[in-house]
Amino acid sequence: MNSLNIYFENQTERVYDNNGAHDAAKLIMRKYENMDIQFKTGKDKFPYAWLESKSTAGFKLILNQKELTWLMGYLQEGKTEDLETEPEKVEAYKEGDNSDLQMSIFKQLIERGKTLQFVPMFRETNGYITACASYQKGKIKFRLKRTDELVEYLTEKGLI
């Protein structure tokens, strides 16, 4: 039996169209739809938001500080202005950085006094903690790996 081979000539690196993702987010905002967001860090160490709405399937928007501020402005107050967000200027986390964006956002919201809705522990499966932060124009959803440190933190804050 002969083995099959694939030969690639002029192989080019595929680059993610973050400007297109930004425009898709802007379209959701122009329709004033509620947006569901999950914050994550990709395998390539780039922080991103997974966005979806009732009329738009989920997609990734790679974040910088300005993009994050823009998204939060929409969630909290319905602001759609995206001046100078520069969606093409994104950077990956460097080695040693606290690169868990989801946990970072989660703790920042708690420290700022944001009320989160938690799935009761008896309903949770597979060792996760699930929570949701509701805003005027959408929700931020969290699904965090349950660790002793996280459970201790949330118990200390009186949240679980």
Side-chain angles (χ1 to χ4, degrees):
M1 181 172 183
N2 294 335
S3 63
L4 300 174
N5 295 309
I6 300 175
Y7 298 99
F8 294 100
E9 292 189 30
N10 301 327
Q11 186 173 2
T12 59
E13 183 178 329
R14 184 170 171 229
V15 178
Y16 187 73
D17 181 10
N18 208 47
N19 283 318
H22 175 88
D23 291 341
K26 197 180 338 183
L27 181 60
I28 292 170
M29 292 176 182
R30 269 195 245 125
K31 294 178 186 177
Y32 291 102
E33 292 182 341
N34 284 351
M35 187 183 295
D36 289 340
I37 301 178
Q38 294 177 19
F39 292 106
K40 301 181 180 191
T41 304
K43 292 177 185 175
D44 55 3
K45 300 277 189 198
F46 280 91
Y48 69 93
W50 184 261
L51 308 174
E52 58 186 83
S53 73
K54 74 176 182 184
S55 68
T56 306
F59 63 94
K60 175 171 64 170
L61 174 64
I62 302 172
L63 298 173
N64 58 34
Q65 187 60 51
K66 292 175 182 178
E67 289 283 309
L68 177 59
T69 302
W70 175 59
L71 287 176
M72 292 306 295
Y74 180 72
L75 283 180
Q76 293 170 341
E77 301 168 28
K79 293 181 182 177
T80 60
E81 189 58 51
D82 67 339
L83 288 176
E84 300 178 23
T85 55
E86 303 174 308
E88 69 285 348
K89 291 187 179 178
V90 293
E91 289 184 29
Y93 285 118
K94 293 165 183 56
E95 287 301 317
D97 283 352
N98 180 10
S99 60
D100 187 351
L101 178 65
Q102 180 177 214
M103 183 65 78
S104 175
I105 299 285
F106 179 75
K107 286 186 174 181
Q108 286 179 58
L109 292 178
I110 289 171
E111 295 302 322
R112 292 179 180 167
K114 177 66 180 165
T115 302
L116 299 175
Q117 181 183 45
F118 288 86
V119 172
M121 295 293 265
F122 74 89
R123 285 191 50 214
E124 284 289 356
T125 57
N126 301 329
Y128 286 92
I129 291 177
T130 306
C132 180
S134 295
Y135 292 94
Q136 176 184 342
K137 293 306 296 172
K139 296 178 181 178
I140 300 174
K141 297 179 178 182
F142 298 97
R143 186 163 167 81
L144 303 159
K145 192 112 177 113
R146 186 185 316 177
T147 63
D148 292 339
E149 180 184 323
L150 179 58
V151 170
E152 185 178 311
Y153 173 78
L154 294 172
T155 303
E156 190 178 285
K157 296 287 184 184
L159 297 172
I160 59 168

